[in-house]
Each structure stands twice: as structure tokens, then as C-alpha cells.
Amino acid sequence: MANLSRSIKADKYTQFVSHGFGKDLAKNLGLPQPAVLRRFDPAQPLISGPVLVLGSTEGAEQLASALLDWKLDVRRVATPKQKLGAIILVLDELADPTELSEPLRTAGSSLRDLSSNGRVVTVSRPAAADQEPAVAAARHGVDGILRSLAKELRAGATGNGIVLAEGVSTTAPSALGALRFFLSGRSAFVDGQFLTVTSEGGAQPADWAHPLAGKVAVVTGAARGIGAAIARTLARDGAQLIVVDVPQAGDHLAGVANEVHGTALQLDITREDAGERILAHAEERYGKLDIVVHNAGITRDKLLANMDQGRWDSVIAVNIAAQLRINQALLASKVFLGERPHIVSVASTSGIAGNRGQTNYAASKAGVIGMVRSSARLLAEHGGTINAVAPGFIETDMTAKIPFATREVARRLNSLLQGGRPEDVAETIAFLASEAAGGITGNVLRVCGQNMVGQ
Ligand code: NAI
């Protein structure tokens, strides 16, 4: 499906400062120097350069061995001055904060050798209220380390963490799935974030190039923007697509449906029977439904002092009430509950950090996060998962309308010094919808380049 892979261009400023005169000028003037990010290309290797696995535990040893199956050049000791593709820091048996010193200084001494667009990934355990204070302090210390380290990395390199629930091994299918996601170009705009692996998860896919082969997926709000990118990415990964949008967007929706060789369903998701309509379409055309991506969303910004009922109610209706109603229908239907169902919902960093003029929108997007956390147990009963993705500043028609100066500031306010692409959100959703993420549920993963707002 060559026509599905869009060429992804960096914004004009990033292109200008990436080489030659522009690069020198930015360096001399101390201007931000965003890197051109390495995006996922199924034809390219997972990561180029050796992968250094640090850590002295059994979990570290097992993980290093498991990575050999991916034909990676795995090292347990660094060779000074030799470029590294990634550093994986396994900290799965911490009992006291003093134990952090040695592995972190070892990692630190290799950071200068990390390649452009390289990766640092920590693997650790969750801190919990019922642990010894020293254990919880050590484990939660990793949170501070990773978030700071991600801010120190340059040249498109990112730092992210995997938190393994008690009893989940470092080589569990979903631990490896999360690691592969973080190492690959799929996570280009994910930085300074953690994914919690709650259970071992399903098998790794037989074909990493088509991890969604045989799956049927619905994407709402797919006529344009992030939704259209999600549809293209899921199709590239092998899924059959049902694309949903309002009748007014019918022409664009038909265009996307043709492009992904899927079917279009013109539907306002706020209709009482939206869930039933989606299920009926899926059953009739494909006989089942495996993946639902709640992407459709609207903004109707106003300061709360000026907010009218129409703005408030419409945002709540589309962004959260419709999702709740559709999920109820899904969870009552054999069409969806046949085999390991996955729901991924699009939240927003506004729902985490808040945003002036967006009390209605933030209520709806924080609502999505609440819904996802509470629904995890309902999906678990059927071997399924539900997660949210919270995009930061993404280059879309919506953000192109922001006045130039505000937009320029907004897109640089993150560790990668640039806006993300709709494809970055789509890649993250495709991963969370895959079997490799079968042990990951109730998570909220930000796709924001480590935006300075919120956590
Ligand atoms: P967009 O406005 O370009 O696309 C949204 C699509 O949803 C449109 O095609 C629209 O027709 C459809 N839609 C709206 N109401 C609908 C309804 N009642 N029924 C069916 N379809 C409906 O928006 P964009 O930028 O692609 O955003 C997609 C999602 O990402 C939204 O949930 C948005 O809140 C979220 N988001 C976007 C960010 C950005 O920077 N663009 C940042 C954070 C979150």
C-alpha cells in the first residue's frame, strides 16, 4: 500500500536549521535546533547501532538475551566512543535510593555516545503505598530520573520508561512490545513518558510489519486530520477499516475509505443508537469488530465567564458522552467481544494540565482519562484493553489556524522543540491496539514531545 505512506516533512524552521547555513546560524545565535525525527518505516531496521543493556539483575540478563531474537547488536558493556543506537537501563529490583547511583553513572558515561534519534528506555517496577518507604522511594526515583534525562537528550533522541507490574517479567510479551515501540520510529514524538505493563499480555505478532493483520477496526472522526492518519496507519499495519464521520464530511470520508480500501459509515456519534449502528455495520460487512478508536472531537473555546450552554453541552456530547454510550453498546455485544477487544480513546494534554479558555474541552478530555481508567476492568473480563492517548501540539488544520507567533511558541515548548505529526498520534494508537500491547491497559500515554505543561 505504497500510497498510504505520506511523506512527512518537518516544519520550515526545522528544515532550515537542520543543515548548512541555517544550522550554523542557529548555533551561533543560540536558537532552538529541532532535529528531523526518525519516523517509522517498515523497510528500515528497528534501530541502527548497538543496543546497550545495563543492569545486573536476572531480569536484565534475560532481556538482553531476548533482544537477540530481534537481530539487534546487543552489548552488556559499552565501548567508549562507539556510537550507540539505544541504552536500556534495567532497574527491576531496586530496594533503596542509594542503589541508583552506580547504574545511573554507568548510563551517564555512555550518553555522549548515543546517536541522533537514539533511545534511552528504563525498565522498572511501580512504587506503591503498601511498600517499605525506601523501596517506594527508590522505585519512584526512576520517575524523576527519566523525566529529567529526557530533557537532557538532544538531536531527536528520546527517553521513555516501562513500568512492570509485580510478577510481570522483563521478557513478557507486552514488556517486549512496549520496548519495541519505544525503540522504533513509531514513538518519534513520545518523550519523557511511562507505559505500565499490567499483565504479561498476548503473543508477539507473527509479522512485525503487519501487527494488525486480520483485525477489523473502527475510527471515528476519520474524514480528516488525526483520524484520517489513524485510519491510514492501521490499514498499513494490516487492519480492515470502517471509517466514521458526520454526513457533512461525506466526500472526504469516502476519499479516506477508498484510500485504505475500507468502508465508510456516515454517522453522527452523538446519536442515541451510534454504538448499535457501528456494530451492525461491522457485523454485516466483516462479521466482527476488534478495535475501536474514539478520535472524533470538537473544541468550542471560551473563558468560563463567557461560556454559553451550547458550547459546553456540544463539547461534552461529542468528546465524552458519545464515547460512554458507544462503549456501553460495545460491551454488550458479541460482535465486539469475540476475541480480545481493544479500545483506544484520544484525550489531550489539555485534559491533564488544563488550558485557558478550555474548561469544557478539558472536562471532556479529563473525562476520557477517567473513563479509560475505570473501564479497564470491564474490558479485562473479556481479555481486552482500553487506553488513552493524549496528544500535545500536533500540526493539523486546527493548529494551523493559531496566529503565527502563538503557534511558533506553542510548537517549541517541548523537549523535541517541534510540533508532532498526526502520524505520531496514529502510530501510538496502532501500537496500543495491537496484540503486542495486550498486557497494557488503563494507561494514558502522552504524544507531546515532553510538552512542558502538566506532568
Ligand atoms: P479535526 O477537527 O481536524 O477532525 C475531527 C473530525 O471529527 C472531523 O472530521 C469531524 O467532522 C469529526 N467529528 C466531529 N464531531 C463528530 C460527530 N459528532 N460525529 C462524527 N464525527 C465527528 O480534529 P483533529 O485535530 O484531527 O483532532 C482529532 C482528535 O484529536 C480530537 O479528539 C481532538 O480533540 C484531539 N486532539 C487534537 C490535538 C491537535 O493538536 N490537533 C491535540 C490534542 C487532542
Side-chain angles (χ1 to χ4, degrees), residues 58-79:
E58 205 184 319
E61 201 52 53
Q62 288 166 347
L63 182 61
S65 311
L67 295 186
L68 295 173
D69 289 348
W70 292 345
K71 313 266 182 293
L72 295 177
D73 176 0
V74 180
R75 309 281 174 90
R76 296 291 274 133
V77 180
T79 311

Side-chain angles (χ1 to χ4, degrees), residues 221 223-226 245-246 267-270 295-298 318 346-348 361 365 391-392 394 396 398-399:
R224 64 177 202 188
I226 295 173
D245 213 300
V246 289
L267 174 71
D268 183 332
I269 57 160
T270 62
N295 162 77
I298 58 169
V318 177
V346 180
S348 164
Y361 184 72
K365 295 298 189 180
I394 304 296
T396 62
M398 188 176 96
T399 49

Side-chain angles (χ1 to χ4, degrees), residues 38 46-47 70 72 86 119 121 179-185:
R38 168 174 64 99
L46 175 61
I47 190 143
W70 292 345
L72 295 177
R119 297 286 190 261
V121 183
L179 181 59
R180 196 173 172 107
F181 169 72
F182 283 140
L183 292 178
S184 79

